[in-house]
Amino acid sequence: MTTFDDILEEAGKFGRCQKRVYVGIVFQGFTPDHWCRDPAVVERREACGWNLAESRRLTVPLDNSSGQQSSCEQYEVDWNATELTCDKQELEDLSRTPTISCKHGWEYDYEGRRSFVTEFDLVCSDAWLVDMFQATLNVGFLVGSIAIGYLADRFGRKMSFLISNLLNGVAGILVAVAPNYISLLVFRTLYGFGVKGGWVAGYVLITEIVGVEFRRTVGVIYQMFFSIGILILPLLAYYITDWRWLQVVITIPYILFLSYYWFIPESPRWLLSQNQNSKAVKITEDIAKENKMTLSKNIETLKDDNADSTTASFMDLIRTPNMRKHTFILSYNWFTSAVVYQGLIMRLGILGGNVYIDFLISGLVEFPAAFLILFTIERIGRRLPFATANFVAGVSCFITAFIPDSMFWLKTAVACIGRLGITMTFEMVVFVNTELYPTFVRNLGVSVCSTLCDVGGIVAPFLLYRLAVIWLELPLIIFGFLAFLAGGLVLLLPETRGVPLPDTIDDIEFPEKAKEKIGLKNQQMVNLLPNYQNTASNKDWATV
């Protein structure tokens, strides 16, 4: 029978239709310099024209451990009961004055800006609530990726993508208008629920409607838009000074994405796996028409060998040996990518500097990674670049740990090389994940494996900040070990370069039989489809 890959040869594997479909906290939670607020001192500062530093000297003591002015304590002085004048020379020495915790909130040196940290005073004893804010997003990611992953395999990629964007739009606006911190956490969790699931559903959709040789291109460039977002976000945050309005601006694209209902098709591969052949044929004919290609009459024989399996379950991912191996290795690589990726970013933040510039540099580092992937994976394959990227990240972490702090720029440069390697790993694990699962369980498989990415996002701050107390460079040693192990495990995966997307679990468990099936199909298809071109060479299958 004719398969969808065969029909794509005639409909156009990456024509105008596919291209049209395809192209379709840091700043909000920034904690600025802060100190205890004393209403009497603030009133005197405004009356006398003092600057912040002068009034701050009257309010907060020096921290004995750091030698810097305290952020969480103030002098125990009732300035309303004293004769405080505007003459700075008459100000008394307060070094022996008792101190207490902040009683009247805090003042912030944030140049007229406002983050949710400054609005809800999430500093000092409540500083951990900022981490909770990010943790709730990762919880939403984790639950949403599994739930929407299941829905995408059960009810379709397009519908799940649209529902996710609707949820993102509603939850994003609710985050922007949250009246208190508790409601902010609830809405943030809902926001994370839709963001991750929608991203995965969109990724699977675009890889399922293009030909074999274009999967890696659309997969990598799809993720490059994340890097573009990193470049745009600092610019937006610089000019939008209120975190609520920044949230609104970030949410607007999700609302606009609802218009995709009229512009993107459902995945014909998914329709075939659900035995909805007539709909798959109609969409494929529309793709061919838009790509100005001609289909043969054999499109009516279009079918999926797995059409009887209409539902996907978690057990499909671990029931058979190869599926179980793929699930374990890919899940571990998702976890490692998240831990090392976020850990290296947060380490750059520890080194100090301008948060806007740091974020910009972190985005620029990712573009070479994308180009390296596009240059290597069709010439060399997936497995070797994937493993090498992990090894580069691991070596860079080990080397960075032992470079003395006096060689600051060398230490930073080597760390950036590690960031380049782990970025390649992060981008490759996504499309390799899609290539190692059959159609009926592909979205669920990517979603389940990627939940380890969310776990890694929760673990990364702990590894960085807690282990750094023991030894500043210990987190880098851990990162290096994780990356090295991930690279070794990747070498146990099959090569997928030039291999059609698997349709059944048998294609995964018995690759030699799949190779024979493809070879026989190639011999027959020249006569079956007049526009057919053989793209699955024996050389490609020999590497499986």
Side-chain angles (χ1 to χ4, degrees):
M1 294 293 183
T2 309
T3 67
F4 185 67
D5 278 312
D6 303 328
I7 296 300
L8 269 180
E9 297 289 340
E10 294 189 326
K13 292 173 288 184
F14 192 53
R16 189 168 67 91
C17 178
Q18 288 95 328
K19 293 173 184 175
R20 171 177 56 79
V21 174
Y22 167 60
V23 175
I25 180 174
V26 170
F27 301 104
Q28 291 179 312
F30 181 70
T31 303
D33 189 19
H34 54 280
W35 59 92
C36 297
R37 182 180 186 275
D38 190 310
V41 174
V42 172
E43 182 180 349
R44 179 55 56 183
R45 179 180 69 209
E46 294 174 351
C48 299
W50 294 341
N51 58 36
L52 290 176
E54 291 167 340
S55 64
R56 186 175 182 180
R57 186 165 64 87
L58 294 175
T59 308
V60 299
L62 291 179
D63 190 312
N64 293 329
S65 60
S66 66
Q68 303 293 322
Q69 287 181 303
S70 174
S71 297
C72 303
E73 292 184 332
Q74 68 179 74
Y75 291 121
E76 190 175 13
V77 176
D78 184 3
W79 292 107
N80 289 320
T82 64
E83 296 181 359
L84 180 61
T85 69
C86 292
D87 188 353
K88 292 178 285 187
Q89 301 299 326
E90 298 181 3
L91 297 181
E92 57 185 297
D93 180 13
L94 301 172
S95 59
R96 299 181 182 275
T97 305
T99 61
I100 58 173
S101 299
C102 299
K103 296 170 54 179
H104 304 287
W106 288 263
E107 290 191 87
Y108 299 91
D109 185 9
Y110 202 28
E111 301 176 357
R113 298 175 177 273
R114 186 171 68 162
S115 69
F116 69 82
V117 172
T118 65
E119 181 172 337
F120 299 121
D121 286 334
L122 304 182
V123 293
C124 297
S125 61
D126 289 334
W128 66 276
L129 294 175
V130 180
D131 298 329
M132 180 64 72
F133 177 82
Q134 186 61 24
T136 56
L137 181 68
N138 280 286
V139 170
F141 282 169
L142 191 150
V143 177
S145 61
I146 296 177
I148 295 181
Y150 172 79
L151 293 176
D153 282 328
R154 187 70 180 85
F155 300 105
R157 295 13 175 165
K158 177 180 177 179
M159 187 57 62
S160 298
F161 174 77
L162 293 173
I163 291 175
S164 296
N165 281 288
L166 177 61
L167 178 60
N168 294 341
V170 174
I173 296 300
L174 289 176
V175 168
V177 299
N180 53 57
Y181 178 74
I182 298 301
S183 62
L184 181 65
L185 289 186
V186 173
F187 299 148
R188 181 74 165 174
T189 304
L190 293 175
Y191 190 64
F193 184 93
V195 169
K196 180 69 175 295
W199 184 88
V200 173
Y203 185 92
V204 172
L205 174 60
I206 66 169
T207 57
E208 287 186 340
I209 65 172
V210 300
V212 174
E213 61 269 42
F214 295 105
R215 288 203 308 262
R216 52 96 181 182
T217 303
V218 298
V220 172
I221 301 181
Y222 182 82
Q223 296 174 86
M224 282 180 63
F225 280 91
F226 176 79
S227 302
I228 294 174
I230 289 181
L231 297 179
I232 294 175
L233 186 56
L235 184 65
L236 291 176
Y238 184 79
Y239 288 104
I240 302 175
T241 59
D242 190 305
W243 72 274
R244 293 183 182 274
W245 282 109
L246 181 60
Q247 176 65 41
V248 170
V249 172
I250 293 173
T251 302
I252 288 175
Y254 292 113
I255 299 174
L256 297 178
F257 288 156
L258 294 176
S259 65
Y260 279 25
Y261 175 84
W262 292 278
F263 300 111
I264 64 173
E266 180 56 87
S267 167
R269 292 182 191 274
W270 177 81
L271 291 170
L272 290 173
S273 73
Q274 302 301 300
N275 224 358
Q276 300 182 42
N277 292 24
S278 59
K279 292 182 180 179
V281 168
K282 176 63 169 62
I283 290 174
T284 307
E285 289 175 337
D286 292 340
I287 291 175
K289 181 178 180 181
E290 186 169 345
N291 291 341
K292 298 181 180 179
M293 302 290 285
T294 303
L295 292 175
S296 68
K297 296 180 180 179
N298 293 292
I299 190 174
E300 301 301 332
T301 66
L302 185 63
K303 73 179 293 291
D304 190 307
D305 292 334
N306 196 50
D308 293 333
S309 298
T310 57
T311 60
S313 72
F314 173 76
M315 292 305 299
D316 292 319
L317 305 179
I318 59 174
R319 182 178 292 114
T320 55
N322 282 343
M323 289 286 286
R324 188 161 52 246
K325 179 180 71 173
H326 295 175
T327 299
F328 170 74
I329 295 176
L330 291 169
S331 296
Y332 178 78
N333 267 271
W334 275 104
F335 174 80
T336 299
S337 297
V339 170
V340 180
Y341 182 90
Q342 294 191 35
L344 290 178
I345 289 179
M346 288 185 290
R347 179 178 173 79
L348 289 175
I350 289 177
L351 299 177
N354 187 298
V355 64
Y356 302 98
I357 296 177
D358 288 345
F359 223 73
L360 183 66
I361 293 175
S362 71
L364 290 174
V365 169
E366 298 189 4
F367 283 97
F371 290 120
L372 283 172
I373 292 173
L374 292 174
F375 180 77
T376 59
I377 60 176
E378 285 304 321
R379 293 171 174 81
I380 302 175
R382 273 67 157 155
R383 184 169 50 190
L384 186 57
F386 192 4
T388 301
N390 271 302
F391 292 143
V392 168
V395 170
S396 298
C397 288
F398 285 136
I399 295 176
T400 302
F402 294 102
I403 296 177
D405 292 337
S406 59
M407 305 176 69
F408 173 79
W409 288 109
L410 177 61
K411 197 178 186 76
T412 301
V414 176
C416 285
I417 293 175
R419 172 74 189 282
L420 176 67
I422 204 63
T423 298
M424 288 184 63
T425 298
F426 224 146
E427 294 185 359
M428 292 194 69
V429 69
V430 186
F431 69 81
V432 170
N433 206 153
T434 63
E435 294 178 336
L436 289 176
Y437 284 126
T439 301
F440 80 101
V441 76
R442 182 171 297 122
N443 210 110
L444 179 63
V446 175
S447 297
V448 168
C449 291
S450 67
T451 57
L452 270 293
C453 171
D454 307 319
V455 174
I458 297 173
V459 169
F462 173 80
L463 287 178
L464 181 67
Y465 297 119
R466 301 303 176 186
L467 295 183
V469 174
I470 303 173
W471 177 37
L472 184 61
E473 309 299 352
L474 182 57
L476 288 177
I477 302 298
I478 302 299
F479 296 160
F481 173 78
L482 292 174
F484 256 93
L485 180 57
L489 290 174
V490 165
L491 295 176
L492 301 177
L493 293 174
E495 178 57 67
T496 57
R497 177 171 64 100
V499 179
L501 289 173
D503 293 317
T504 68
I505 291 181
D506 282 347
D507 291 340
I508 301 295
E509 297 300 323
F510 307 104
E512 288 301 320
K513 290 184 179 180
K515 174 184 174 181
E516 294 175 1
K517 181 175 68 175
I518 294 297
L520 179 62
K521 183 206 71 171
N522 288 340
Q523 295 177 9
Q524 297 174 341
M525 289 306 296
V526 173
N527 296 326
L528 183 62
L529 296 176
N531 294 329
Y532 180 77
Q533 298 173 359
N534 181 8
T535 58
S537 66
N538 289 333
K539 179 180 179 181
D540 293 330
W541 278 93
T543 59
V544 178

